């Protein structure tokens, strides 16, 4: 964070595009300001591509004047229904809107919009740090307008609303998600009164579409430390409405003096471990992080007390995998390969641990690689992240065994595992050999050959496999044609 005087802000904005906007506004005799995230990010010393300009008057007319000045080099898009326009010049995009004031009905996020002053426009902004404006008119170029002390909140690392937070959140409940998202991305604290309003207004999130909530959730998940956002979502009561399956993990039960761990905070620790192992944007996978978030989602449904074993969560991976499509459908997350990827990782996340708990055999590793396929590296990353034991000796043993699993996996992949693990006699040949149509018998014989290959009983070569196949077929009463 760096503080700038108005003169220094004028120097920062000493770019051709801002002087051209200034000239266009001056020609039309209207006030013009760059606002919102662009201004905030100047002080945070972060690059920003989103240039939003507010005009006290018609934003569309200023955009049209700018287009006339720039000629064919610029592209103009006008959205009259929204009173906005966009000018695109090379890689630079500038959004123009007229200053406005808004009012809302209780059951809708869609505001009634009227023309307004700059003050009206700043009043309707979501947070003080996003309500700052810098004048672009030539007479006041670089002058900061900050009626809500957004600069002080930015310096103190605080998220607060310009108006009474209950009004801000009631008007547009999506701002509750944005509040937590900004606090997470910037590592800021939510001001006390603002957080109390989050708790009080949480139910209002129900009028927001799942698609809008999904966008904010994904931004929280992709933050440098997403667990902060999920703790705030849980504390505010929003998580119980948006993702109740995750919220339900935040419980610790005791019986006979024995307690299980808090699986909500364990999940967040696993998520942070995944982020730590894939910190760079090029490596970071949104859906690997979703898999970490949902990997223990089945534990609430599978929790049982066993007098001999204590608390158990048998088959929580299987139950959790069955829950993934329901969650994705409800949150409007993609139901194609992304959902199936998350479902696969949730289903398989216990397998490497079971292997590491016992002897790391070739057979077990072959089966794991066969089932995980190209997602094996992500699965191993998730499983290593899942080792959150405070017992350092136990943790070291698991991680060492995982290293052995990875070595065997690397060896298999080097030998072209897809060819190695797929029997060279396929279903079509089985049907031709025994005069069969697609049937249970064909499936049984295919699986028999696959098991033999995965368990390394024979080499994946035609002659030994054919011998096994004929023997099994004979036991089933089938004869070769």
């Amino acid at each position: 964070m760096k503080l700038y005087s108005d003169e220094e802000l004028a120097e920062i904005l000493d770019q051709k595009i801002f002087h051209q906007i200034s000239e266009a506004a001056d020609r039309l005799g209207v006030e013009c300001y760059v606002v919102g995230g662009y201004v905030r990010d100047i002080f945070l010393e972060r690059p920003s591509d989103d240039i939003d300009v507010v005009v006290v008057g018609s934003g569309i007319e200023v955009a049209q004047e700018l287009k006339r000045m720039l000629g064919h080099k610029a592209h103009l898009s006008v959205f009259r229904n929204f009173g906005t326009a966009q000018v695109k010049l090379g890689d630079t995009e500038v959004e123009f809107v007229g200053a406005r004031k808004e009012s809302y009905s209780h059951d809708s996020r869609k505001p009634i919009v009227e023309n307004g002053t700059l003050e009206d426009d700043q009043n309707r902004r979501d947070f003080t740090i996003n309500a700052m404006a810098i004048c672009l008119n030539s007479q006041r170029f670089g002058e900061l307008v900050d009626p809500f002390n957004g600069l002080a909140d930015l310096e103190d690392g605080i998220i607060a609303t310009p108006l009474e937070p209950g009004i801000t959140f009631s008007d547009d409940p999506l701002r509750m998600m944005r509040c937590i998202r900004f606090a997470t991305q910037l590592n800021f604290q939510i001001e006390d009164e603002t957080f109390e309003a989050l708790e009080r207004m949480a139910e209002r999130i129900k009028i927001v579409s799942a698609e809008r909530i999904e966008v904010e959730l994904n931004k929280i998940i992709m933050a440098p430390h997403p667990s902060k956002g999920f703790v705030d979502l849980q504390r505010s009561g929003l998580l119980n409405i948006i993702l109740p399956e995750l919220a339900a993990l935040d419980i610790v039960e005791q019986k006979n003096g024995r307690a299980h761990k808090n699986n909500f905070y364990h999940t967040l620790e696993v998520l942070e471990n995944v982020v730590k192992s894939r910190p760079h944007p090029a490596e970071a996978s949104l859906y690997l992080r979703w898999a970490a978030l949902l990997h223990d989602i089945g534990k609430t449904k599978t929790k049982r007390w066993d007098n001999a074993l204590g608390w158990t969560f048998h088959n929580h991976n299987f139950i959790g995998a069955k829950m993934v499509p329901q969650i994705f459908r409800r949150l409007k997350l993609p139901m194609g390969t992304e959902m199936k990827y998350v479902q696969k990782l949730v289903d398989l996340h216990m397998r490497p641990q079971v292997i590491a708990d016992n002897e790391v055999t070739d057979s077990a590793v072959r089966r794991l690689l066969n089932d995980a396929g190209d997602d094996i590296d992500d699965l191993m990353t998730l499983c290593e992240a899942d080792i959150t034991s405070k017992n350092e000796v136990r943790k070291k043993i698991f991680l060492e065994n995982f290293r052995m699993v990875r070595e065997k996996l690397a060896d298999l992949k080097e030998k072209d595992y897809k060819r190695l693990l797929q029997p060279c006699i396929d279903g079509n040949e089985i049907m031709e050999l025994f005069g069969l149509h697609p049937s249970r018998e064909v499936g049984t014989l295919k699986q028999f050959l696959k098991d033999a290959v995965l368990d390394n009983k024979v080499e994946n070569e035609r002659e030994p496999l054919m011998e096994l196949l004929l023997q099994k077929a004979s036991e089933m009463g089938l004869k070769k044609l």
Side-chain angles (χ1 to χ4, degrees), residues 98-114:
R100 58 194 186 183
K101 56 183 174 181
E102 298 175 344
S103 56
Y104 292 79
S105 62
H106 185 74
D107 59 351
S108 173
R109 284 186 60 242
K110 294 180 179 176
I112 300 163
V113 179
E114 302 173 68

Side-chain angles (χ1 to χ4, degrees), residues 141-270:
F141 192 83
E143 180 185 308
L144 178 67
V145 183
D146 182 18
F148 305 108
N149 294 316
L151 198 53
D153 286 347
L154 205 57
E155 195 172 11
D156 293 339
I158 289 172
I159 303 292
T161 57
L163 302 177
E164 198 278 309
I167 296 171
T168 298
F169 294 149
S170 180
D171 282 351
D172 184 355
L174 183 64
R175 289 170 177 164
M176 294 190 287
M177 294 293 297
R178 285 169 58 81
C179 177
I180 291 173
R181 188 253 291 182
F182 277 120
T184 308
Q185 288 179 323
L186 300 175
N187 195 26
F188 280 16
Q189 295 303 310
I190 300 171
E191 182 255 345
D192 289 346
E193 188 182 349
T194 303
F195 197 88
E196 286 165 11
L198 283 178
E199 295 175 289
R200 195 169 64 249
M201 309 297 297
E203 288 289 322
R204 288 281 288 154
I205 201 67
K206 290 178 179 177
I207 72 166
V208 180
S209 71
E211 289 87 350
R212 300 303 295 273
I213 290 171
E214 177 221 344
V215 169
E216 297 300 326
L217 268 181
N218 285 343
K219 288 178 179 178
I220 290 170
I221 289 173
M222 291 305 290
H225 293 287
S227 61
K228 174 177 166 52
F230 284 98
V231 169
D232 283 343
L233 285 170
Q234 177 72 335
R235 287 174 54 228
S236 65
L238 285 165
L239 192 65
N240 194 47
I241 299 167
I242 296 163
L243 195 47
E245 298 90 344
L246 182 61
L249 294 176
D250 188 9
I251 188 172
V252 176
E253 285 192 65
Q254 284 199 10
K255 193 162 184 174
N256 296 347
R258 296 170 74 178
H260 60 79
K261 64 188 172 189
N262 184 306
N263 286 303
F264 174 73
Y265 286 98
H266 162 73
T267 292
L268 297 188
E269 197 174 344
V270 174

Side-chain angles (χ1 to χ4, degrees), residues 205-369:
I205 201 67
K206 290 178 179 177
I207 72 166
V208 180
S209 71
E211 289 87 350
R212 300 303 295 273
I213 290 171
E214 177 221 344
V215 169
E216 297 300 326
L217 268 181
N218 285 343
K219 288 178 179 178
I220 290 170
I221 289 173
M222 291 305 290
H225 293 287
S227 61
K228 174 177 166 52
F230 284 98
V231 169
D232 283 343
L233 285 170
Q234 177 72 335
R235 287 174 54 228
S236 65
L238 285 165
L239 192 65
N240 194 47
I241 299 167
I242 296 163
L243 195 47
E245 298 90 344
L246 182 61
L249 294 176
D250 188 9
I251 188 172
V252 176
E253 285 192 65
Q254 284 199 10
K255 193 162 184 174
N256 296 347
R258 296 170 74 178
H260 60 79
K261 64 188 172 189
N262 184 306
N263 286 303
F264 174 73
Y265 286 98
H266 162 73
T267 292
L268 297 188
E269 197 174 344
V270 174
L271 178 59
E272 288 293 328
N273 286 343
V274 165
V275 173
K276 199 183 300 179
S277 67
R278 303 276 183 93
H280 304 297
E283 298 174 337
S285 162
L286 170 63
Y287 295 101
L288 175 56
R289 295 186 184 194
W290 267 107
L293 197 66
L294 301 182
H295 80 285
D296 275 351
I297 210 77
K299 281 193 169 179
T300 305
K301 291 187 176 181
T302 58
K303 183 165 65 175
R304 300 288 184 274
W305 172 260
D306 183 295
N307 286 327
L309 301 173
W311 293 103
T312 66
F313 304 92
H314 295 314
N315 290 325
H316 74 272
N317 55 312
F318 173 71
I319 298 298
K322 287 177 68 175
M323 295 165 69
V324 168
Q326 305 160 20
I327 292 169
F328 267 55
R329 192 173 291 111
R330 189 179 70 240
L331 293 176
K332 304 298 182 186
L333 286 157
M335 294 298 294
T337 55
E338 297 91 343
M339 185 278 290
K340 289 174 182 172
Y341 163 88
V342 172
Q343 189 175 35
K344 181 201 284 188
L345 263 59
V346 172
D347 188 24
L348 295 178
H349 83 269
M350 294 297 294
R351 284 273 293 281
Q353 192 166 324
V354 171
I355 294 172
D357 236 346
N358 301 292
E359 185 185 350
V360 182
T361 65
D362 286 349
S363 172
V365 172
R366 279 170 169 254
R367 286 183 172 277
L368 177 64
L369 186 50

Side-chain angles (χ1 to χ4, degrees), residues 346-411:
V346 172
D347 188 24
L348 295 178
H349 83 269
M350 294 297 294
R351 284 273 293 281
Q353 192 166 324
V354 171
I355 294 172
D357 236 346
N358 301 292
E359 185 185 350
V360 182
T361 65
D362 286 349
S363 172
V365 172
R366 279 170 169 254
R367 286 183 172 277
L368 177 64
L369 186 50
N370 176 73
D371 293 342
D374 293 337
D375 299 318
I376 186 65
D377 288 332
D378 286 355
L379 177 63
M380 291 302 297
T381 296
L382 173 60
C383 293
E384 286 160 351
D386 197 17
I387 305 303
T388 62
S389 172
K390 300 300 180 277
N391 183 328
E392 290 302 320
V393 174
R394 179 173 164 78
K395 190 173 182 178
K396 187 176 179 181
I397 291 170
F398 265 115
L399 292 177
E400 174 60 20
N401 284 351
F402 277 155
R403 187 190 63 75
M404 292 168 59
V405 172
R406 277 194 180 273
E407 280 183 5
K408 287 182 181 289
L409 287 168
D411 185 53

